[in-house]
Each structure stands twice: as C-alpha cells, then as structure tokens.
C-alpha cells in the first residue's frame, strides 16, 4: 500500500517499521512533526518531548546501551545543544541502533542561523545519511539503524526544510521487531569515558571509520545515473531533485550517504565525464574532499554557499556554467504591488501586554527564541538582542555586572525556561546579580505548533503528569523575589515591572496567560472603537495588534473577525473610546 507522506511523517513511519523502541526529541521547525506523528504508534514504542535536545540525546543513549533501537530528533541548532554527549557517545558507540535525525533549515525560514549538519559527520567520525524524498526518508531510517548496529556507531539522518515538509508517495510496510534483547551488559572499559579507557575508544573510532569507508563503496544508496558524458553532477538531498529537473541531460552521482564519501565511486564517475560539477547546499564538504583527492571539479566558483537552493538558483548555476545570461521573469502583475506582510504577534497574544509595559521603562531587553522574538519589530520595538535558547538570562546578567545604566531584563518563554533557562537563573542568583527575568508563560510551546512541555501537565503521549512550577524552580535556585503577573492587566504589569526593576537583587516575574490559539476561547468581550469619541491619537495602534486597522489616516477600527477581546486597547486609550462591542460572538474558536 502506498500513501502520500511528508518527509517527517515518513521518518516517523520508518521508525515504527524498523522496530524503534524509544523516540525522544525537542520541538523545532522543521523537525517537529516527526515526534508528533510517531505518537500514533505509542502502543509499540515510547516517545517523549524532553526539556532540551541534550536530555533527549542522553535518554536515547541509555536506550541504545540497553539494546533498543532508538531515534532522537531535533533541528540543526539542537544538535549544538546535544554535541557534548554526541562526541563521547561516538567513541563508546551504539548497542541498539541509534539514529540522530537532524533537520537543517537552509534559508533560515524559522531559525536564528544557518548551519550544515553534515559537518558533524567528519567531526564525530560517524555516518551521515541524506534522503531526497519521502520514500528515502522512510527507508533510510532502517538503513541508518542497521548501519548503527553493524558498526556500533550513532548515525545522523540529515534532512532539510524541503524534505521535511514536502510530500511524495511512500510504500508502507509492516513493523519488524529487532531481535536484539533489551539487556544492559556491563562493560566499564567501553561505557566509562575516563581518560585511560577513552584513549582506547579513540583508536577504535579510527578503525571503525576505515571499515565504514569500505562499506560505502558497496551501498546502493550512492548511485550513478549515467546520461551525457559531457557533464557529471554530484548532488544529494533536495538538491538532487532540482538537479534532475534543471540539468535533464547531465549524468548524476546521487549520494544517499554523504559521509564517509565513496572515494573509488567518485573517482570512477569523474573519469567517465568531461566536466565534474558539485552542487551542494551550504558548505562545500564534498567539493573540498574531491579536490583533496586531486580531482578537478567545479563548485563554489559558480555555486553559492548561502541560502536554500530553489529551482531558480539551480538555473542560475546552469547559466553560469554555460556562460549564458539568465533572463529573470518579471513579477506577476497581480502580485507586484501587494503590500509587505511582516510577521506580527497574533491578535490577543499575551506577550503584547508585556512588551507594551516594558516600553515605559529605560531597559535593555535580552531576548530569546520563541513567539516573543517578534517583540523586536515596530511598533512594540521592545526587544534588543536574540542569541540562542536560554541566552537571555545570562546576557542580562553579564550586561548588568559591567555597569550598564539601563535596567537589564532577560525575557524567555516557559518551554525555553525549561530548555535552558534554569542554569542562567542559578548563575544570576549565585553571582549576586540584580537583573530581572521575565518568563512569558503561555502554558504551551507555542512557536513550534503547541507541543506539551514540563509546565503543561501532559506528556507527548497525552498522559497526565506533574505540572512543573517555574516559580518553585526559581525559588529553589536562590531567587527570593518571584512574582506572577497578568499581561492583560496593564496597571498590574506596570507596577510589577517598576518594583522588580528597581529591586537591588535578582528577581523573576512569571507573566502567565494561555495562548489564545491554544485555548481556543475568547479572552473577554470583543471590542469596538467609538468613531465619535475617538480623537485619532493612534495610541491603540502602538500595540501592534493586527485586529486594529487604520487606512490612510482614518480613525482606527477593530476588525471583529480578528479581535480576541484581550482589552489592552481599551486600557491604553486616553479618551475611553474603546468599549465592548454590541455583537453576538461565539466564545469558542
């Protein structure tokens, strides 16, 4: 039976078919839907959201050491978080197959940076698989787990945004349980990485790599598709699909296993064509290795190293290769004059009240990764930096410790706090910092699509569990000033902020309100603006709420289809011109 699946759905299906016993991860686009789809197979395996990628990875290591087939999932920046256990686990090696699914985001559609996760292959000396469609995404899960068990190594399955979210037909199979028993066999010389034993592990890593190099020459997932002998192209992942469309007559060496590289196969392919071109997204890993072998090829001289490769970019590469000028089509008439649509906080978003209150103070606001990142854009313009998950609290502390005159604030979400905010809080309290931390707790991991986290009281599998208290954690970490506030109450927000910003010790404010899109209930009665009482001062527009509209200097109006009834606009109106709308509206969405 065949089914139309996205790459992420196919990976989830592949894990089930291959007998995976445990799957763990942390949500992050474009990887999130893998675990969201694998939960349908929870009768046959255990799946969980971990507080962060490092924890997910370490859960996976324990599962693998016990002999179970295991998968951990994350986006590219998540593997940075999990790098510490990765590098040592690469030496001790897997028992039950261990597949690390890493979803890259070329073009930074929803990421703070652009990374090529293939680099972890040569760095950790472990295999890297790259599927080019959903069928391969499913099949490569099984292949990766088999490689992992054969060579006792973790294996990276590297996808990208286009593979994760594009759909293609997939042949479905039945689940096949692993024959390996679940039993941890003690062996300190292998599992205890003290220097005396780790040095021997290090030697085995090199020996394993040489054995894998011999294997990659035979694998059918690296295949030559011979056509014209004029031009040969080496490609992988989604780039392969674009190459097949744009370079219809070229011969192609399609790499499914991009590390270690099949040296002999590449040399034979290079010898079979007049000109060799390497087209790879982001870093020139394959090109550099080919040139190190003494082969002549083209690559970075005409292939860009930034951004996602679309068919248009592949056409540009083709034009440069053939020394032709590419004619770019004019914009479609209907879309040429459309206004820009910058991302904004949703109508009724509780974060809006927090940022509106922060604007009233002379503050330096260190941001973090989440929906609230949008607080940096006009008209709120209340967020000054974004670095990485959990970076807000230490940055605010560091700025304050060197004598910054402004109040220093770190702001992060509930899921981000559990991910990597706790250590920052400990550091601030321990080192006698006086910065203020704001946790905007909307009761869910909102930015990646409403996944559960340790503060929601539910697991990935839908079971009730402990609802971890952010306030209790902060208190236990040594913060004596811990407050809660309602972001829809501007007076309370202003007073709470004033008191905590002026306090000469570390403080934490939990700003708590359910994300309306998750709660699916109106916050309060919908609002409307009295056109008689309104003096067109535009104070309500400074909230940046998409429900409040104003065209060509006209007085603002509230779109009843967008309003969630949060009431912030009524609180900032100096003329009391905003009141409850006289309309019948549903309370649920």
């Amino acid at each position: 039976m065949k089914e139309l699946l996205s790459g992420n759905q196919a990976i989830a299906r592949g894990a089930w078919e291959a007998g995976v016993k445990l799957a763990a991860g942390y949500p992050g686009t474009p990887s999130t839907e893998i675990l969201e789809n694998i939960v349908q197979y929870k009768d046959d395996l255990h799946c969980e959201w971990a507080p962060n990628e490092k924890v997910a990875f370490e859960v996976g290591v324990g599962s693998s050491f016990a002999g179970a087939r295991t998968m951990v999932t994350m986006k590219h920046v998540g593997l940075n978080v999990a790098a510490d256990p990765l590098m040592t686990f690469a030496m001790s090696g897997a028992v039950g197959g261990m597949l690390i699914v890493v979803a890259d985001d070329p073009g930074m559609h929803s990421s703070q940076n652009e990374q090529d996760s293939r680099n972890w292959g040569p760095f950790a000396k472990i295999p890297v698989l790259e599927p080019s469609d959903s069928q391969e995404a499913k099949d490569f899960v099984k292949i990766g787990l088999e490689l992992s068990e054969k060579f006792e190594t973790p294996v990276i399955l590297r996808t990208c945004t286009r593979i994760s979210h594009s759909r293609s037909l997939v042949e479905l199979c039945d689940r096949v349980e692993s024959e390996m028993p679940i039993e941890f066999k003690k062996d300190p010389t292998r599992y205890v990485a003290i220097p005396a034993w780790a040095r021997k592990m290090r030697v085995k890593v090199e020996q394993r790599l040489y054995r894998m190099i011999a294997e990659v020459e035979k694998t059918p997932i690296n295949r030559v598709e011979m056509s014209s002998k004029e031009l040969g192209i080496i490609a992988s992942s989604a780039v392969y699909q674009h190459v097949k469309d744009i370079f219809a007559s070229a011969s192609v060496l399609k790499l499914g296993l991009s590390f270690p590289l099949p040296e002999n196969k590449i040399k034979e392919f290079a010898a079979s064509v007049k000109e060799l071109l390497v087209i790879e997204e982001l870093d020139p890993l394959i090109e550099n290795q080919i040139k190190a072998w003494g082969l002549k090829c083209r690559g970075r001289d005409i292939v860009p190293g930034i951004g996602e490769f679309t068919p248009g970019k592949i056409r540009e590469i083709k034009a440069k290769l053939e020394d032709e000028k590419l004619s770019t089509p004019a914009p479609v008439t209907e879309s040429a004059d459309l206004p820009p649509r910058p991302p904004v906080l949703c109508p009724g978003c509780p974060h809006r009240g927090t940022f509106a209150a922060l604007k009233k103070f002379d503050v330096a606001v260190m941001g973090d990764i989440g929906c609230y990142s949008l607080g940096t854009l006009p008209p709120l313009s209340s967020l000054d930096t974004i670095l990485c998950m959990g970076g807000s609290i230490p940055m605010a502390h560091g700025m304050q410790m060197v004598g910054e005159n402004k109040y220093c604030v770190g702001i992060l979400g509930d899921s981000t706090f559990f991910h990597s905010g706790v250590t920052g809080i400990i550091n601030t309290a321990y080192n006698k910092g006086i910065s203020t931390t704001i946790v905007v707790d909307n009761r869910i991991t909102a930015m990646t699509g409403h996944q559960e986290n340790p503060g929601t009281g539910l697991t990935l599998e839908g079971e009730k569990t402990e609802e971890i208290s952010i306030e209790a954690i902060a208190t236990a970490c040594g913060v004596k000033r811990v407050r809660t506030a309602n972001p829809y109450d501007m007076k309370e927000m202003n007073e709470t902020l004033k008191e905590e910003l002026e306090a000469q010790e570390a403080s934490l404010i939990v700003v708590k309100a359910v994300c309306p899109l998750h709660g699916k209930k109106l916050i309060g009665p919908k609002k409307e603006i009295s056109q008689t009482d309104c003096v067109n001062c535009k104070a309500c527009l400074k909230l940046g709420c998409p429900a409040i509209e104003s065209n060509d200097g006209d007085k603002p109006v509230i779109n009843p289809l967008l309003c969630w009834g949060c009431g912030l606009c009524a609180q900032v109106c100096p003329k009391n011109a905003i009141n409850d709308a006289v309309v019948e509206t549903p309370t649920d969405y």
Side-chain angles (χ1 to χ4, degrees), residues 91-346:
M91 294 201 305
S92 60
V95 181
M98 172 68 148
L99 191 71
I100 307 157
V101 182
V102 184
D104 284 4
D105 189 19
M108 294 178 279
H109 297 283
S110 58
S111 304
Q112 67 267 38
N113 64 33
E114 188 177 64
Q115 295 173 204
D116 190 334
S117 293
R118 294 178 302 159
N119 283 289
W120 290 103
F123 189 23
K125 301 181 188 299
I126 60 176
V128 178
L129 294 166
E130 287 193 90
S132 61
D133 58 26
S134 296
Q135 182 67 57
E136 288 190 346
K138 191 205 77 153
D139 294 343
F140 283 16
V141 172
K142 184 171 184 285
I143 291 170
L145 291 167
E146 290 172 346
L147 270 175
S148 176
E149 290 169 352
K150 180 175 182 178
F151 293 101
E152 298 183 341
T153 178
V155 173
I156 290 175
L157 179 68
R158 185 252 188 182
T159 70
C160 61
T161 304
R162 208 53 48 194
I163 299 300
S164 295
H165 295 157
S166 297
R167 294 175 181 268
S168 59
L169 283 174
V170 175
E171 183 75 42
L172 304 184
C173 302
D174 295 330
R175 178 174 170 89
V176 178
E177 297 288 349
S178 171
E179 296 179 359
M180 191 175 296
I182 305 298
E183 180 188 3
F184 176 57
K185 297 178 181 178
K186 294 188 177 184
D187 184 358
T189 61
R190 175 179 179 182
Y191 301 128
V192 181
I194 59 174
W197 292 334
R199 293 186 190 104
K200 295 178 182 178
M201 296 179 198
R202 178 70 183 84
V203 174
K204 290 182 179 179
V205 168
E206 293 298 323
Q207 295 170 343
R208 181 183 71 198
L209 183 59
Y210 282 113
R211 286 189 289 117
M212 288 192 295
I213 288 172
E215 178 78 9
V216 300
E217 295 290 353
K218 301 180 293 182
T219 179
I221 66 173
N222 293 333
R223 66 176 185 265
V224 173
E225 299 174 357
M226 207 62 201
S227 184
S228 167
K229 293 188 176 182
E230 294 297 316
L231 175 65
I233 300 174
I234 299 177
S236 62
S237 190
V239 174
Y240 161 77
Q241 303 288 1
H242 300 324
V243 164
K244 291 294 287 184
D245 285 341
I246 308 304
F247 289 90
S249 62
S251 296
V252 178
L253 170 52
K254 192 262 186 201
L255 294 176
L257 186 63
S258 55
F259 184 84
L261 288 171
E263 181 178 356
N264 292 334
K265 182 167 284 189
I266 288 174
K267 287 181 175 178
E268 290 172 4
F269 180 67
S272 69
V273 294
K274 289 184 178 179
E275 188 171 27
L276 183 64
L277 171 64
V278 181
I279 303 180
E280 51 189 324
E281 213 166 40
L282 302 184
D283 296 339
L285 273 73
I286 299 170
E287 178 188 350
N288 289 346
Q289 183 59 71
I290 288 174
K291 289 179 176 177
W293 288 330
L295 300 177
K296 184 180 179 181
C297 71
R298 299 195 69 176
R300 275 296 174 268
D301 59 322
I302 57 172
V303 177
I306 298 174
E308 183 181 28
F309 282 9
T310 60
K313 280 195 175 181
I314 302 299
R315 290 190 186 95
E316 290 175 5
I317 294 169
K318 187 172 187 289
K320 289 178 182 177
L321 181 70
E322 297 171 354
D323 199 23
E324 294 180 355
K325 187 174 181 179
L326 184 68
S327 57
T328 305
V332 178
T333 305
E334 289 79 1
S335 64
D337 298 324
L338 285 177
R341 291 171 59 101
V344 294
L345 294 172
C346 300

Side-chain angles (χ1 to χ4, degrees), residues 361-437:
F361 301 91
D362 186 20
V363 289
V365 183
M366 307 296 106
D368 226 297
I369 309 300
C371 296
Y372 43 90
S373 300
L374 296 172
T376 194
L377 300 176
L380 292 170
S381 305
S382 301
L383 195 151
D384 301 309
T385 71
I386 296 177
L387 181 67
C388 64
M389 293 284 282
S392 56
I393 304 174
M395 283 194 293
H397 171 71
M399 190 172 287
Q400 174 263 312
M401 291 300 284
V402 297
E404 169 57 47
N405 290 325
K406 298 182 183 68
Y407 295 122
C408 298
V409 173
I411 187 167
L412 71 170
D414 46 333
S415 184
T416 310
F417 178 84
F418 293 120
H419 179 284
S420 48
V422 178
T423 47
I425 282 291
I426 292 172
N427 182 72
T428 301
Y430 171 68
N431 287 298
K432 299 183 177 181
I434 63 171
S435 58
T436 299
T437 298

